[in-house]
């Protein structure tokens, strides 16, 4: 096929081999492909000297010309005349070496993926004091026949800017004059020359919403951060710090009062959400996936643009401002991160170049039956590097403090949610995905080595060993793991009628059998208040008062239990309706004392938790926890004690999971002294019954619960008490 036909049909694999400036013996030849041009001439960009006019070849859009040899370092421009106008254009095809630079070192380190690929703003030297600003494009499509950059700048015409394929499978091109804010995509032909749906950039830094889903050139270096103090402070040992996480879906936390707007922006959330989180005493804000995603109903768990914060709420700098303001208010930011799977949307990664570039080819490994989505091929170095790079990208460019990794169990097991015959065993005949395990270890090592201040958290629902143990100990390397067992067992227990709880007592205590096997976070997450599961308040049995009391008692127990804390938005106000991503939290409920009381309790629990080291710095050390009495199933009362690392502070917690008050209930205590009440979930200010409880009690030399001393307390109905010893 003639080169003119290849260019016209956008089937040119190596445009640099023909287009641009070529030396032929003692002549210099210029070959330029310019759809829509009538006349084209060449001039020296540095001196402005006219070199000559090019001739149209065979009535096509190819213009060629030979001239007396010009200087070797010539940077030239084109004067282009069309039917409508005349303009100057710097020919992209004279910058082959600079374009190829993008992929020389991509495989050397994961961070090179986002430092070199995608649309990178570049400056090209054209003289001693002059530079050309432009954008370098680089995309991985190893099995494509042809790839072109398309956008508003070339009227989305795939024949205008064909890219050059490199030996590593990357396609590259520099287009001078393209600046931040311009839209683009890739037009890709598969190996047979069939045109695929236009693809967004896999390493695109910004994107438009439906219907275009176009990538947008973006300058990552414009934003000026002001969170240096936080970044230094956040280097402190996470295990010894309080961590109470407020999990939020940004689109439905609160909706705008303006009916013409769908969402609060990142900057509006700074004004509303950050003061609320700070007032409530949470230490961290965790946002459901922020990577660009096409379908609102996926909540972000079907991402397409892993390197782009969703533009639903603003541009990437707006999100940086949001994170910056969180840090300046001493709030850490955790983002949900989804490396397990991705959707089949045509503009995304699925069959990116006509082949399975990113996903496993065999559907028994590459298709997720639960979520109707593709599974990344964790055995390919390019895919593993792409995902590890993305983890590093969010920490480096957006200063996030942690990644909560979604659906880890689905990655670890080849037979996850599959029947016999629907999965492929590993080389040893087992069900573990060795490739995914290796990827997760690499990702965690990379994060902690390059950003020691950051953390990773696994949502892992099985008993897979050593999830939060270091890789050098044979673990996956996560910093923390969600305690899904505690969540399911304790919610099952608290949803029972109190008269039946005696028969399920083991469910509320069982977590302590394994509590120190991992570094746990106790989650009451979004998954527990959606899809027919009902709001947390509505899981509680009994009448209106008992439901609220059960919730308060349960919250008190949660904050006393070892493990960092996480609560989904709405739990803290006693939301009565199941979470709806298309609406807003029921903020109107705070007009009622019941919901004011629940909110006040969560606020106080957060501040108590942060102010008492015994409740947080020993979360992962068994020597600093002890049951006082975990066997009182008949009365459904639990008592425990937490001790600070230095042994100087002890907090006693007692939970009565029945509506029966217990007067002068005896509890064993470890030391003689006065015990001060620091929290009573039945307090009147929490909409409790205000059952009479002494603010302080003196221990007695009466052995009880295998303790040398004991105290007598009045236990309110459906309530948790916390007391501190003053010796």
């Amino acid at each position: 096929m003639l080169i003119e036909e290849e260019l016209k049909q956008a089937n040119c694999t190596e445009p640099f081999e023909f287009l641009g400036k070529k030396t032929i013996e003692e002549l210099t030849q210029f070959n330029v492909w310019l759809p829509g041009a009538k006349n084209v001439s060449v001039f020296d960009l540095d001196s402005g000297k006219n070199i000559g006019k090019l001739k149209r070849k065979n009535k096509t859009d190819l213009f060629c010309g030979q001239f007396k040899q010009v200087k070797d370092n010539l940077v030239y421009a084109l004067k282009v005349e069309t039917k409508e106008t005349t303009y100057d254009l710097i020919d992209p095809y004279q910058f082959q070496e600079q374009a190829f630079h993008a992929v020389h070192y991509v495989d050397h380190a994961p961070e090179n993926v986002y430092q070199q690929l995608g649309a990178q703003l570049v400056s090209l030297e054209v003289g001693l004091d002059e530079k050309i600003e432009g954008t370098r494009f680089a995309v991985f499509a190893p099995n494509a026949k042809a790839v072109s950059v398309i956008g508003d700048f070339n009227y989305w015409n795939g024949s205008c800017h064909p890219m050059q394929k490199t030996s590593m499978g990357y396609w590259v091109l520099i287009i001078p004059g393209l600046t931040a804010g311009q839209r683009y995509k890739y037009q890709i032909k598969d190996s047979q020359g069939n045109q695929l749906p236009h693809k967004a950039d896999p390493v695109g830094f910004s994107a438009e919403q439906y219907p275009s889903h176009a990538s947008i050139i973006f300058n990552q270096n414009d934003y000026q951060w002001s969170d240096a103090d936080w970044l230094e402070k956040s280097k402190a040992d996470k295990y010894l710090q309080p961590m109470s996480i407020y999990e939020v879906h940004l689109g439905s936390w609160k909706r705008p009062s303006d009916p013409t707007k769908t969402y609060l922006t990142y900057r509006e959330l700074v004004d509303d959400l950050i003061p609320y989180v700070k007032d409530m005493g949470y230490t961290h804000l965790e946002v459901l996936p922020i990577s660009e995603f096409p379908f609102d109903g996926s909540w972000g768990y079907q991402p397409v643009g892993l390197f782009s914060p969703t533009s639903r709420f603003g541009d990437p700098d707006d999100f940086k401002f949001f994170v910056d303001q969180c840090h300046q208010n001493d709030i850490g930011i955790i983002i949900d991160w989804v490396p397990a799977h991705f959707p089949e949307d045509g503009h995304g990664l699925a069959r990116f170049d006509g082949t399975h570039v990113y996903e496993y080819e065999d559907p028994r490994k590459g298709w997720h039956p639960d979520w109707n989505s593709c599974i990344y091929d964790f055995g390919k170095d390019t895919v593993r590097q792409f995902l590890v790079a993305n983890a590093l990208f969010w920490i480096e460019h957006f200063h996030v403090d942690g990644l909560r990794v979604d659906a880890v169990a689905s990655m670890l097991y080849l037979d996850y949610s599959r029947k016999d015959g629907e999965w492929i065993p590993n080389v040893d005949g087992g069900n573990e995905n060795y490739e995914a395990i290796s990827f997760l270890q690499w990702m965690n090592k990379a994060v902690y080595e390059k950003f020691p201040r950051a953390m990773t958290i696994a949502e892992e629902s099985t008993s897979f060993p050593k999830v939060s143990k270091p890789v050098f100990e044979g673990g996956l390397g996560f910093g923390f793991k969600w305690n899904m067992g505690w969540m399911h067992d304790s919610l099952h227990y608290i949803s029972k009628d109190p008269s039946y709880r005696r028969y399920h007592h083991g469910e509320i205590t069982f977590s302590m059998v394994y509590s120190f096997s991992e570094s746990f976070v106790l989650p009451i997450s979004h998954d527990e208040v959606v899809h027919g599961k009902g709001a947390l308040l509505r899981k509680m049995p009994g009448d209106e008062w008992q439901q609220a009391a059960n919730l308060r008692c349960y919250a008190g127990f949660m904050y006393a239990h070892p493990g960092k804390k996480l609560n989904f938005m709405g739990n803290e106000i006693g939301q009565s309706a199941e979470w709806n991503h298309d609406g807003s939290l029921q903020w109107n409920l705070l007009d009622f004392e019941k919901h004011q009381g629940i909110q006040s309790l969560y606020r106080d629990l957060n501040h108590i938790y942060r102010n008492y080291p015994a409740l947080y710095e020993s979360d992962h050390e068994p020597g600093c926890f002890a049951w006082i009495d975990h066997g009182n199933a008949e009365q459904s009362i639990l008592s425990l004690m937490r001790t600070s690392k230095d042994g100087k502070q002890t907090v006693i917690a007692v939970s009565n999971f029945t509506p029966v008050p217990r007067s002068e209930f005896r509890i064993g205590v470890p030391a003689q002294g006065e015990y001060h009440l620091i929290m009573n979930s039945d307090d009147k200010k929490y909409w409790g019954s205000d059952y009479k409880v002494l603010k302080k009690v003196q221990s007695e030399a009466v052995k009880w619960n295998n303790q040398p001393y004991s105290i007598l307390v009045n236990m309110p109905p459906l309530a948790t008490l916390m007391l501190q010893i003053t010796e």
Side-chain angles (χ1 to χ4, degrees), residues 21-23 26-30 65-70:
K21 176 173 68 76
K22 310 296 177 185
T23 300
E26 295 183 357
L27 299 175
T28 299
Q29 178 161 326
F30 296 89
Q66 287 187 343
F67 307 95
K68 185 178 179 180
Q69 189 169 7
V70 298

Side-chain angles (χ1 to χ4, degrees), residues 622-643:
C624 296
F625 167 87
W627 286 115
I628 295 174
D629 184 7
H630 69 284
N632 190 352
E634 189 62 29
Q635 294 178 309
S636 297
I637 296 179
L638 285 175
S639 51
L640 57 87
M641 58 181 165
R642 304 286 306 278
T643 307

